[in-house]
């Protein structure tokens, strides 16, 4: 048996440089389990359709199962000479069960085989990633519940804007991760179609039961065009796009954690177990974990760009360029999973400095809008109210006090419409709790949303 299954028409050995340059085995070996799973289904289908004998199929199947055990046990030799995981396993099969192993590749090409393997593999990874997202959402919900009535300044332009509940702020991330989960579920639908039977590109002259294969392997249906089946990598790109958006969310969250843990904010403190020190400055405690998550977002975006660029301008159907899909895809999978895995436990043990948040919400005239709204209720047009309160703020800045420190006489100096009840209207608590519109930050509204969320993530 020659080393390379395709060597029949060649008179020269492959150059060593080419052998290494061409090989994908160093990274596609992670597909071994799914390659074997696909091959077992293919062999069974071939036997069912009478293309190979039942006994032959049995031999192939038990040979493949034995190879899976060898790989699991670390006893399998992966060499560049065998190019990729598909050829490596086929070669080993023939070593183990003899020439009958050569029947497995009937009615199949590596082109439809690799498309199948990546789809099988990615399906599992998407499910795992969705579980990790759910986990993170649960952690967020727990922290929100524990700190339900904690008030913090809400920001626009990173300037204090209006007071909000910390729980409301956290649940904004819940909503982002919910969309990430849904995007993956949507991507899954297009991953979950079965390409085998496309052959190299044109379909197969054998009587293949593609529906049986799809069912055996848990796919929703076989693909509809053989050329598309072997040249489509949209599903990898879609996954990388969903992964990029998810990383963008984690990166924004990381940025906030980094800011919040600075001495300037002191809203939270990351646990020692999730921080690192400086090799020179003894006092330092650095938020390396969220910084790295923020940084790793770059490589996940890069992988998306790489895939889009690899696929751009490729003629139909398969081209070797497409072997370049794997490292980008695998790297995005690994990176996102690593980030999600560390994020939940880091959040779960971080300390929330409620008092500092509450104090920060007190300064900065955060309830100025509420004071303007107070005058609106007295019938004054909003633009005019805005101006009146603006003057009051300017006065407070000049006299170094907060709106809440103004006496009723001072208020009346700005507008006769002010009454004693302005005091309680502009309290931070009143401001938060007045925002009862669906999706607003009022305590009762956030509580209601938390109730819905608990049903969503059950
Ligand atoms: N290692 C190849 C890849 O990842 C498998 C498909 C090879 N097909 C071919 N016609 N050379 O794309």
């Amino acid at each position: 048996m020659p080393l390379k299954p395709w060597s029949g028409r060649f008179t020269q050995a492959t150059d060593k440089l080419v052998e290494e340059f061409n090989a994908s085995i160093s990274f596609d070996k992670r597909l071994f389990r799914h390659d074997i799973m696909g091959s077992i289904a293919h062999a069974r289908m071939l036997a069912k359709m009478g293309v190979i004998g039942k006994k032959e199929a049995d031999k192939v199947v038990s040979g493949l199962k034995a190879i899976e055990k060898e790989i699991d046990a670390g006893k399998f030799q992966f060499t560049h000479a065998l190019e990729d995981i598909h050829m490596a396993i086929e070669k080993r099969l023939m070593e183990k069960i003899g020439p009958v192993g050569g029947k497995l590749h009937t009615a199949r090409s590596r082109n439809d085989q690799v498309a199948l393997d990546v789809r099988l593999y990615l399906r599992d990874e998407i499910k795992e990633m969705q579980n990790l997202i759910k986990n993170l959402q649960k952690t967020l919900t727990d922290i929100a519940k524990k700190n339900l009535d904690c008030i913090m300044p809400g920001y626009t332009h990173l300037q204090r804007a209006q007071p909000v509940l910390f729980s409301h702020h956290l649940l904004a991330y819940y909503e982002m991760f919910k969309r990430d989960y849904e995007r993956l579920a949507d991507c899954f639908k297009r991953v979950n179609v079965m390409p085998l039977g496309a052959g190299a590109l044109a379909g197969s002259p054998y009587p293949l039961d593609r529906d049986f294969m799809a069912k055996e392997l848990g796919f929703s249906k076989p693909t509809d065009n053989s050329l598309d089946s072997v040249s489509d990598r949209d599903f990898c790109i879609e996954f990388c796009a969903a992964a990029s958006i998810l990383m963008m969310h984690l990166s924004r969250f990381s940025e906030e954690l980094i800011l919040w843990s600075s001495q300037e904010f002191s809203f939270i403190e990351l646990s020692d177990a999730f921080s690192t020190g400086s090799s020179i400055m003894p006092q330092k405690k650095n938020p390396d974990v969220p910084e790295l998550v923020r940084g790793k977002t770059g490589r996940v975006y890069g992988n998306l760009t790489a895939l889009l660029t690899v696929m751009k301008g490729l003629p139909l159907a398969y081209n070797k360029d497409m072997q370049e899909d794997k490292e980008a895809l695998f790297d995005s999978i690994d990176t996102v999973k690593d980030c999600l895995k560390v994020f939940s436990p880091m959040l779960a043990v971080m300390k929330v400095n409620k008092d500092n948040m509450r104090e920060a919400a007190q300064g900065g005239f955060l309830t100025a809008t509420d004071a303007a709204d107070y005058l609106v209720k007295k019938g004054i047009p909003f633009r005019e109210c805005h101006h009146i309160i603006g003057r009051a703020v300017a006065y407070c800045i000049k006299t170094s006090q907060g709106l809440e420190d103004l006496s009723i006489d001072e208020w009346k100096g700005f507008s006769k419409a002010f009454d004693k009840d302005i005091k309680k209207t502009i309290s931070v608590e009143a401001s938060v709790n007045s925002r009862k519109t669906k999706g607003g930050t009022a305590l009762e509204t956030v509580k209601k949303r938390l109730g819905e969320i608990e049903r969503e993530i059950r």
Side-chain angles (χ1 to χ4, degrees), residues 170-301:
L170 287 182
L171 293 183
Y173 285 101
Y174 171 88
E175 305 294 342
M176 297 181 223
F177 296 130
K178 182 178 166 187
R179 292 193 294 275
D180 292 322
Y181 187 96
E182 289 169 357
R183 252 185 292 277
L184 286 174
D186 194 55
C187 169
F188 187 93
K189 286 189 232 156
R190 282 173 295 279
V191 175
N192 198 26
V193 288
M194 206 290 298
L196 221 58
L201 74 163
S204 175
Y206 294 93
L208 306 183
D209 188 342
R210 300 190 63 217
D211 288 302
F212 170 83
M213 292 267 301
K215 221 168 142 211
E216 275 282 291
L217 294 168
F219 285 103
S220 69
K221 58 168 198 173
T223 51
D224 288 314
N225 180 299
S226 62
L227 290 162
D228 182 47
S229 309
V230 290
S231 65
D232 169 29
R233 292 295 181 272
D234 293 4
F235 63 99
C236 299
I237 298 176
E238 276 189 53
F239 172 82
C240 285
S244 294
I245 299 176
L246 168 54
M247 285 304 293
M248 179 266 287
H249 292 154
L250 284 176
S251 175
R252 294 181 74 176
F253 203 169
S254 295
E255 170 67 12
E256 297 211 294
L257 296 175
I258 295 162
L259 280 175
W260 291 349
S261 60
S262 70
Q263 260 133 38
E264 284 69 16
F265 276 82
S266 289
F267 286 0
I268 59 154
E269 189 184 341
L270 294 176
S271 145
D272 280 2
F274 286 85
S275 308
T276 46
S278 157
S279 59
I280 172 167
M281 297 168 281
Q283 87 284 10
K284 292 275 279 177
K285 177 168 160 183
N286 295 327
D288 287 31
V289 174
E291 286 175 291
L292 262 178
V293 171
R294 190 176 58 181
K296 284 176 188 290
T297 304
R299 62 196 288 160
V300 175
Y301 289 5

Side-chain angles (χ1 to χ4, degrees), residues 6 22-25 27-28 31 83-87 109-115 118 200 233 318-326:
W6 44 254
N22 198 37
S24 53
I25 188 111
F27 49 86
D28 68 15
L31 296 174
E83 234 178 282
D84 55 29
I85 188 66
H86 324 295
M87 285 185 3
S109 154
R110 272 185 297 155
N111 298 350
D112 54 353
Q113 186 178 358
V114 73
V118 175
R233 292 295 181 272
Y318 178 83
N319 302 271
K320 188 75 172 203
D321 313 44
M322 290 157 69
Q323 179 166 288
E324 287 290 307
D325 62 356
K326 278 164 221 62

